[in-house]
Amino acid sequence: MNFDLTPEQDQLRDAVRALGRRYGHSYFVEKAKAGEHTTELWDEAGRLGYLGVNVPAEYGGGGGGLTELAIVCEELAAAGCPLLLLVVSPAIAATVINRHGTEEQRKRFLPGFADGSLKVVFAITEPEAGSNFHRLGTVARRDGDDWLLSGRKCYISGVDEAQYVLVVARTEDATTGKLKPALFVVPTDAAGLTRSKLDMEIVSPENQFLLYLDDVRLPADALVGGSLDAGLPALFAGLNPERITVAAMGVGTGRYAIERAADYTATRKVWGGRSIGAHQGVAHPLAHAAVQVELARLMIHKAATLYDAGRDLEAGVAGNMAKYAAGEAAALAVDTAVQALGGAGMTTEYGVATLLGAVRAGRIAPVSREMILNFVAQHVLGQEKSY
């Protein structure tokens, strides 16, 4: 059992950390509050090859795996720049296209993922069904050689930055008449696709949207994998990378908050000559949060290692556990950091309260902590399904 990164992974971690710190949390917050995007950081990360570390080398990527992409997500977040589109585009969309797209789709899309010039967002969640794909109302039906998509999606991240959206729809199986999931690559400027921005209480440069699909016409080659049989495997292909990279982003955010708080408490002096960090009432909560963050990091490393080894079922369990642990740890770390800094913790200058909304959302999305507990109870503890 080896907990060490390879020399190449260490170099990647150091390089991404240096890039993130050159931009920093103040850059992230300024962009978010101005209603702008972190375009400069994204473009530079793409040019340096960090956004395509998990794309096969034959398509211009780094030829690595989810372990490498998790490193990128964690280190940018640890520098105060948690980029949600890293989860949506390189982790989910690129993985789905690479593992289940046709060769034509891989040649068309993967080079753009590799250099960061292409952003593809993901649309599964719906107002009524949530993320329960068994109850999705977005339907795709044949019209000659084309497809027509109709339905609604909600909480779709980054549509205004992306060229395409990967839409999960339901299609009717001609042999059984039953509905089955299918994934379609839909241009964000397609006729019949409209969007409405959702106002969120989160400081983030990525926006959330409602999507409306009104008979959006797509050519046959928009169907991922070129066959309806590819739909279910393609859908599940994106779930483990999503959970693992969200967890990595959460752990990075927790590290950032603890580092900010530890620097402050080690130098802040109020009573006599001792720093406030010398008091156990201040130091112990920070130490506890640091322990929780490190434990979550270990589970992320395990989950990514299992995934890269092709052990998908085990990676599913570990990925869900990592997402749960990281969500709890990140929320604890940021809240503890705010408390340790006192009034300064609520200021924009010190840069921790600006993360409260994001880490709270991390306990809800992309899958809630309660649904993860349901998963663990059923698949690990052997309990009867409760929902």
Side-chain angles (χ1 to χ4, degrees):
M1 186 179 298
N2 186 357
F3 293 97
D4 292 329
L5 298 178
T6 66
E8 293 77 15
Q9 290 167 343
D10 265 328
Q11 291 170 9
L12 175 65
R13 183 181 292 279
D14 292 343
V16 175
R17 180 187 297 123
L19 173 65
R21 288 184 174 179
R22 276 204 288 109
Y23 285 86
H25 190 59
S26 60
Y27 163 83
F28 179 89
V29 172
E30 287 168 8
K31 288 292 184 179
K33 291 190 172 183
E36 300 174 355
H37 304 305
T38 51
T39 306
E40 300 88 354
L41 173 56
W42 181 275
D43 289 348
E44 186 168 356
R47 289 194 301 272
L48 294 170
Y50 304 150
L51 303 181
V53 289
N54 61 319
V55 174
E58 58 264 38
Y59 300 103
L66 196 57
T67 298
E68 285 74 19
L69 187 59
I71 288 171
V72 175
C73 290
E74 180 183 341
E75 290 306 322
L76 286 179
C81 299
L83 300 186
L84 181 57
L85 278 185
L86 277 170
V87 175
V88 178
S89 194
I92 301 176
T95 298
V96 168
I97 296 297
N98 181 44
R99 292 187 65 171
H100 295 285
T102 64
E103 180 57 27
E104 180 184 348
Q105 289 167 340
R106 287 193 285 269
K107 289 179 179 177
R108 180 182 176 188
F109 294 114
L110 290 180
F113 285 117
D115 64 15
S117 61
L118 178 68
K119 296 177 184 176
V120 180
V121 297
F122 184 62
I124 181 172
T125 307
E126 295 185 357
E128 288 79 23
S131 56
N132 180 1
F133 74 88
H134 295 291
R135 297 186 59 193
L136 294 182
T138 299
V139 174
R141 66 182 190 277
R142 288 277 194 187
D143 186 43
D145 291 334
D146 294 343
W147 290 95
L148 292 176
L149 268 64
S150 294
R152 292 188 300 162
K153 299 291 183 180
C154 62
Y155 304 118
I156 310 306
S157 307
V159 180
D160 55 336
E161 300 182 64
Q163 296 99 316
Y164 295 91
V165 54
L166 191 60
V167 175
V168 183
R170 303 289 298 281
T171 64
E172 186 175 82
D173 189 317
T175 58
T176 66
K178 294 181 179 180
L179 292 176
K180 58 193 301 185
L183 276 68
F184 295 87
V185 183
V186 181
T188 50
D189 61 357
L193 176 65
T194 56
R195 66 187 188 228
S196 175
K197 183 182 173 185
L198 287 164
D199 291 328
M200 307 291 289
E201 295 299 323
I202 299 174
V203 178
S204 172
E206 289 111 353
N207 297 314
Q208 302 291 316
F209 292 89
L210 286 166
L211 292 186
Y212 307 91
L213 299 102
D214 183 12
D215 280 346
V216 176
R217 183 174 294 276
L218 300 170
D221 63 3
L223 176 65
V224 173
S227 166
L228 295 180
D229 292 334
L232 193 60
L235 174 58
F236 281 112
L239 297 185
N240 286 342
E242 177 188 51
R243 282 149 175 70
I244 294 169
T245 50
V246 164
M249 190 167 64
V251 159
T253 302
R255 285 174 50 203
Y256 167 83
I258 291 169
E259 181 179 345
R260 295 287 290 172
D263 288 346
Y264 181 87
T265 57
T267 56
R268 172 73 167 162
K269 296 179 180 180
V270 180
W271 298 284
R274 303 178 73 192
S275 68
I276 61 172
H279 299 277
Q280 293 177 354
V282 175
H284 282 188
L286 284 175
H288 173 66
V291 169
Q292 301 309 305
V293 167
E294 186 61 25
L295 291 173
R297 282 184 88 190
L298 289 174
M299 184 53 75
I300 292 165
H301 181 71
K302 177 179 180 180
T305 300
L306 289 170
Y307 181 87
D308 289 339
R311 295 160 65 178
D312 286 352
L313 290 177
E314 295 165 279
V317 173
N320 274 290
M321 288 183 170
K323 193 273 172 186
Y324 181 95
E328 300 300 299
L332 174 67
V334 172
D335 185 68
T336 303
V338 170
Q339 191 69 25
L341 269 68
M346 295 303 296
T347 66
T348 302
E349 176 187 358
Y350 282 88
V352 286
T354 45
L355 296 166
L356 281 169
V359 294
R360 188 60 187 83
R363 301 175 75 209
I364 301 169
V367 58
S368 71
R369 62 192 299 277
E370 290 77 17
M371 285 305 296
I372 292 178
L373 293 176
N374 284 335
F375 177 91
V376 172
Q378 180 183 349
H379 295 284
V380 178
L381 303 181
Q383 302 303 300
E384 184 179 353
K385 188 175 181 179
S386 62
Y387 58 95

